[in-house]
Amino acid sequence: AVAESRERVQSALHASGLSMPPKKVTVNLAPADLPKEGSHFDLPIALGLMAALGAVPADALARYVVLGELSLDGTIADVTGALPAAIAANVQNRGLICPKGCGAEAAWADAEMDILAPASLIGLASHFRGTLSRPVAVARALPSNMPDMFDVKGQETAKRALEVAAGGGHNLLMCGPPGSGKSMLAQRLASILPPLSARELLDVSMIQSVAGELAGGGLTDRRPFRAPHHSASMA
């Protein structure tokens, strides 16, 4: 993906009305000993070239962390990990430039942080004339059919155990034959747990961001439930 960024960047620049200089161009992805993977480098490479060509002011880019994938027509495609990137940039007192679809999740990093979320290279170049507004952090609405403890009929002893574990923050070990309701009960434990705190919300959402599970960039304060399949480890 990193090697192919050469073609994507070149095509995106041409589609945006910028021609590459008629000479060899070297892009240094330092430090050289750190392995690179993914398409996150497309937008930084393109912006570096645009700054060198004078299409965008180089001094204005110096205060931003940049990530994004380029399409061949110059639009900027979404990437994973925008939220942790925004938090890391905020720690360094820098702004963030990311794809438009990632702006909503990046905005959770800090309400005062400078975040640009353009849809295309042309839109980003236009921003430096003051046309882009800051993205807004959004909360994801939960579907109405989420598993709820209210759905469980009977199982009074097991439900009492879940309530004790939820109230005291205890671990819970469920033993029983297949079909007795262990997974069904575990799935509904989140419905009686308190919402995630602000710090927990960011911790959980950073993992979901890297995994590409933040649909639309919206965050939710419902505690996550993971159900690894029994074949995930040795029997």
Side-chain angles (χ1 to χ4, degrees):
V2 178
E4 290 173 357
S5 66
R6 178 188 308 174
E7 282 72 29
R8 288 195 300 274
V9 169
Q10 195 166 6
S11 177
L13 288 174
H14 280 306
S16 302
L18 293 169
S19 57
M20 295 284 289
K23 55 186 176 183
K24 180 179 173 66
V25 176
T26 301
V27 178
N28 183 21
L29 299 182
D33 62 333
L34 186 69
K36 285 87 178 173
E37 61 180 34
S39 54
H40 300 66
F41 301 97
D42 291 5
L43 185 57
I45 291 171
L47 284 180
L49 285 167
M50 290 170 71
L53 294 170
V56 295
D59 56 341
L61 293 176
R63 62 179 186 269
Y64 287 101
V65 170
V66 186
L67 75 162
E69 177 185 334
L70 286 175
S71 299
L72 299 181
D73 60 356
T75 56
I76 304 173
D78 297 355
V79 292
T80 59
L83 179 58
I87 292 174
N90 192 41
V91 170
Q92 300 175 19
N93 292 318
R94 294 174 180 266
L96 180 78
I97 298 176
C98 65
K100 184 176 182 180
C102 300
E105 68 176 87
W108 283 93
D110 193 312
E112 305 298 323
M113 184 180 174
D114 185 11
I115 298 176
L116 303 179
S120 64
L121 276 178
I122 295 175
L124 183 55
S126 302
H127 159 72
F128 295 103
R129 293 190 291 273
T131 58
L132 275 181
S133 57
R134 187 184 188 277
V136 178
V138 296
R140 186 166 76 243
L142 291 172
S144 58
N145 59 347
M146 292 287 285
D148 195 292
M149 191 68 80
F150 180 78
D151 305 330
V152 183
K153 309 303 179 189
Q155 297 275 23
E156 299 302 329
T157 305
K159 287 195 287 188
R160 176 62 181 156
L162 286 173
E163 291 165 6
V164 172
H170 306 300
N171 295 324
L172 196 64
L173 176 63
M174 297 188 188
C175 302
S180 59
K182 302 184 299 296
S183 299
M184 180 268 293
L185 287 162
Q187 200 172 11
R188 284 156 175 78
L189 178 60
S191 70
I192 60 171
L193 288 170
L196 292 165
S197 67
R199 180 65 208 174
E200 290 171 332
L201 178 67
L202 287 180
D203 285 344
V204 169
S205 299
M206 280 195 288
I207 296 171
Q208 293 173 335
S209 175
V210 172
E213 295 178 358
L214 286 183
L219 274 58
T220 174
D221 61 1
R222 181 176 171 116
R223 294 181 181 272
F225 171 73
R226 301 292 303 279
H229 196 260
H230 62 79
S231 63
S233 62
M234 294 284 288

